[in-house]
Amino acid sequence: MTYDPLISRGVSSMLPAPKSYWHATHKVPSVPPLNKKINTEYLVIGGGYTGLSAAITLAQAKQDVTLLDANSLGFGCAGRNGGFILSGSGRLSLSAIEEKWSHKVAMGMQGEFDGAVDLLKKRITDFNMQVDLVDGPYLKLAHNVKQAEQLCASANRLASNFNVPSTPLSSKDLTTRFGIKGVYGGVELEGACLHPLKLASEYARAAKELGAALFYDSPAICIEKQKSGFLVTTPNGSVSAKHILVATNAYTPKRFHDSVDNKQFPVQSSIFVTAPLNDEQRALTGLTTPVSFMDTRMMKYYYRVLPDGRLLFGGRGAVKGKDANNATEKQRLYNAMIKSFPALKGIAMDYFWSGWVSVSLDSMPRIFVESETSGNSVKRDANSIGYAMGYCGSGVSFAAFAGQRLAQRMMGTSEVDLSLPIYQSPLKTYPFSKARRLALHGLYQWAKIAER
Ligand SMILES: Cc1cc2nc3c(=O)[nH]c(=O)nc-3n(C[C@H](O)[C@H](O)[C@H](O)COP(=O)(O)OP(=O)(O)OC[C@H]3O[C@@H](n4cnc5c(N)ncnc54)[C@H](O)[C@@H]3O)c2cc1C
């Protein structure tokens, strides 16, 4: 049974944890469910990176904070992602942001993206988090001449216009420096990787140590506005809260709350992990060092070698949740891997899983508070509801940063530059929401032909 945010009524606590490599190599701590009525100042709904980070920020500010998650730790993207730490979120390049708004906005956004990586690394150090952090470059690879030219131009623009360290690579550079053959060029950016589920466990530990009350296997079924604050019901308890932070991202149920309903498009991404590569396979593929890769095919594929020598390979998943584990979906992704690494033909696929990423209509995430007054602060006595979501598949660092920003915004701290577009307006509502999947199916069919 797979959770499908556009069809299922909500995340049930009975759904099994994903059969991911991350779950196979790390046992998450069990956190008890909510079995009573409680009161809290701030209620965070959703216990992935966004929610846990918001809880950490609120607890660090000595606020009374409670967090509910519908399932076990890491049920959402936190237990399913590739673990690539990238400086960025959403799907717009800095040049596109500059074109749409201004150079100042693009620089402001880059500041937030870099701030997200810094926050993640600072917390890893401050809380002594054991998350298998590995630094290594992030390479974007071009599979035709045109893409190679575009990548080279964008690398030069990133460095000169936005001060982002980025180095264009020729196909010869790629072969001599990284042992990569068969691509037309690329770009080297800064990168790092970690074990995403261990990160979720460590965030939960930090939040608990700071005094946040965490409850898992406790889906918020209903959010009711009361005279003063909100009443949130779970199967065996309820929470009266003054403020609510919605951190359910792509796992947000179909009809949950007006502020988030139809505001994002959950799209599946799938990953498989191979058996460990032998020395010959490593030498033939160039997969010998901790490098993260993304290629520039229309349907982007991402991959990295794991610390135990396996290859993690990811890309788009099935359109519908019920098809997530179909043999054809697995084969399609496997074939894409063989196209990049013919030497791996026949290698076993030891793990396969999928997860939902939250795609916003304008390709930008939002951190937004509904009942906020204008200016840089919230009414201290107002009952506010806010959310952070829409990271478009890029949230290992940014989701936690967005959770921090959401908490800061709810508390009315002045650290958030509210002039940036991600804080200025709510997520846009999808028109013709029922046609979203049809359009996605059409796009995938077209890409299949274009990529032949
Ligand atoms: C296959 C895949 C690969 C990815 N790879 C990368 C990568 O390499 N690098 C990168 O930067 N990003 C990656 N991402 C994206 C990244 O994982 C996400 O952006 C990020 O984890 C989002 O964090 P979150 O806390 O907002 O959401 P989630 O971790 O999904 O948490 C949402 C939580 O809300 C809970 N919830 C839902 N409904 C309710 C309810 N009613 N009551 C209570 N709780 C509820 C869910 O149980 C879930 O735990 C990937 C995503 C996927 C799916």
Side-chain angles (χ1 to χ4, degrees):
M1 198 175 32
T2 307
Y3 173 64
D4 188 327
L6 291 190
I7 292 170
S8 316
R9 297 194 58 163
V11 176
S12 155
S13 60
M14 306 303 283
L15 287 167
K19 290 189 173 138
S20 73
Y21 169 81
W22 311 121
H23 281 84
T25 51
H26 173 67
K27 191 170 167 0
V28 289
S30 102
V31 187
L34 179 71
N35 288 321
K36 56 185 175 187
K37 292 181 177 174
I38 57 167
N39 292 308
T40 190
E41 186 90 2
Y42 292 91
L43 174 65
V44 180
I45 303 179
Y49 303 146
T50 304
L52 286 166
S53 174
I56 289 172
T57 307
L58 289 161
Q60 278 176 323
K62 307 273 179 262
Q63 299 296 323
D64 170 28
V65 51
T66 301
L67 178 148
L68 294 178
D69 193 283
N71 199 283
S72 56
L73 188 60
F75 175 80
C77 286
R80 300 173 193 255
N81 69 69
F84 293 54
I85 303 172
L86 308 172
S87 171
S89 192
R91 290 192 303 180
L92 297 185
S93 66
L94 288 179
S95 297
I97 294 174
E98 180 178 40
E99 203 170 298
K100 191 165 175 186
W101 288 283
S102 66
H103 183 70
K104 189 168 167 241
V105 167
M107 290 303 286
M109 283 309 303
Q110 186 55 38
E112 299 295 84
F113 296 151
D114 287 342
V117 177
D118 292 346
L119 175 70
L120 171 60
K121 293 198 170 169
K122 183 174 177 335
R123 281 183 172 159
I124 289 174
T125 308
D126 289 355
F127 293 100
N128 189 23
M129 293 181 174
Q130 304 303 310
V131 294
D132 303 344
L133 179 69
V134 188
D135 282 315
Y138 168 50
L139 300 186
K140 286 190 183 175
L141 303 178
H143 284 83
N144 61 42
V145 177
K146 196 169 158 214
Q147 284 167 358
E149 285 166 6
Q150 283 170 352
L151 269 185
C152 178
S154 81
N156 290 331
R157 252 196 326 271
L158 271 180
S160 62
N161 295 9
F162 305 108
N163 302 327
V164 176
S166 59
T167 314
L169 299 166
S170 66
S171 83
K172 196 169 156 216
D173 295 333
L174 285 160
T175 308
T176 46
R177 282 189 54 204
F178 301 101
I180 297 165
K181 295 174 199 134
V183 292
Y184 290 79
V187 172
E188 180 179 353
L189 297 155
E190 286 174 352
C193 291
L194 49 62
H195 191 303
L197 190 58
K198 287 187 182 175
L199 180 65
S201 287
E202 292 288 43
Y203 278 152
R205 173 178 66 83
K208 253 171 111 172
E209 280 172 11
L210 289 162
L214 309 183
F215 300 97
Y216 279 74
D217 295 318
S218 308
I221 300 168
C222 169
I223 304 173
E224 254 177 273
K225 180 82 184 77
Q226 307 257 288
K227 234 183 188 168
S228 158
F230 302 88
L231 179 70
V232 174
T233 319
T234 69
N236 297 309
S238 65
V239 188
S240 296
K242 220 164 165 191
H243 309 286
I244 293 195
L245 295 84
V246 181
T248 45
N249 202 37
Y251 285 75
T252 309
K254 201 166 44 165
R255 275 186 287 278
F256 191 52
H257 188 265
D258 286 352
S259 60
V260 289
D261 291 347
N262 283 324
K263 295 286 175 92
Q264 43 136 2
F265 184 19
V267 174
Q268 280 194 115
S269 184
S270 298
I271 289 181
F272 69 84
V273 169
T274 67
L277 273 58
N278 60 34
D279 290 345
E280 191 190 352
Q281 288 166 328
R282 289 182 140 225
L284 285 169
T285 53
L287 296 168
T288 50
T289 48
V291 183
S292 338
F293 299 92
M294 167 86 80
D295 72 20
T296 51
R297 291 203 183 97
M298 197 175 155
M299 289 296 124
K300 308 227 172 330
Y301 298 106
Y302 48 92
Y303 38 97
R304 61 182 267 220
V305 186
L306 297 170
D308 62 2
R310 299 167 185 272
L311 177 68
L312 175 152
F313 193 93
R316 70 112 169 141
V319 174
K320 294 181 186 161
K322 71 177 175 59
D323 299 328
N325 293 315
N326 281 0
T328 45
E329 294 299 330
K330 294 181 182 172
Q331 192 61 47
R332 182 183 46 72
L333 208 52
Y334 189 87
N335 291 348
M337 186 265 293
I338 296 301
K339 216 168 163 185
S340 296
F341 303 109
L344 297 187
K345 195 167 180 188
I347 195 167
M349 183 188 279
D350 283 354
Y351 304 88
F352 175 92
W353 70 93
S354 302
W356 297 99
V357 302
S358 160
V359 177
S360 59
L361 186 60
D362 66 358
S363 300
M364 290 283 276
R366 288 294 190 291
I367 296 117
F368 194 69
V369 178
E370 285 281 318
S371 43
E372 193 170 285
T373 52
S374 60
N376 223 19
S377 62
V378 289
K379 270 191 210 153
R380 291 302 302 132
D381 60 348
N383 304 119
S384 37
I385 182 158
Y387 58 81
M389 54 181 74
Y391 315 122
C392 303
S394 191
V396 167
S397 60
F398 193 76
F401 185 78
Q404 184 198 55
R405 286 293 195 227
L406 177 61
Q408 289 170 329
R409 199 170 173 175
M410 298 289 273
M411 289 188 288
T413 55
S414 56
E415 283 161 58
V416 192
D417 175 4
L418 293 177
S419 70
L420 290 172
I422 54 169
Y423 305 111
Q424 278 274 312
S425 57
L427 282 166
K428 291 182 193 304
T429 303
Y430 270 89
F432 318 114
S433 52
K434 289 208 171 99
R436 275 178 280 176
R437 285 219 161 136
L438 219 59
L440 186 68
H441 179 72
L443 175 74
Y444 288 169
Q445 292 308 312
W446 184 54
K448 214 154 90 186
I449 297 162
E451 280 173 8
R452 249 184 215 145

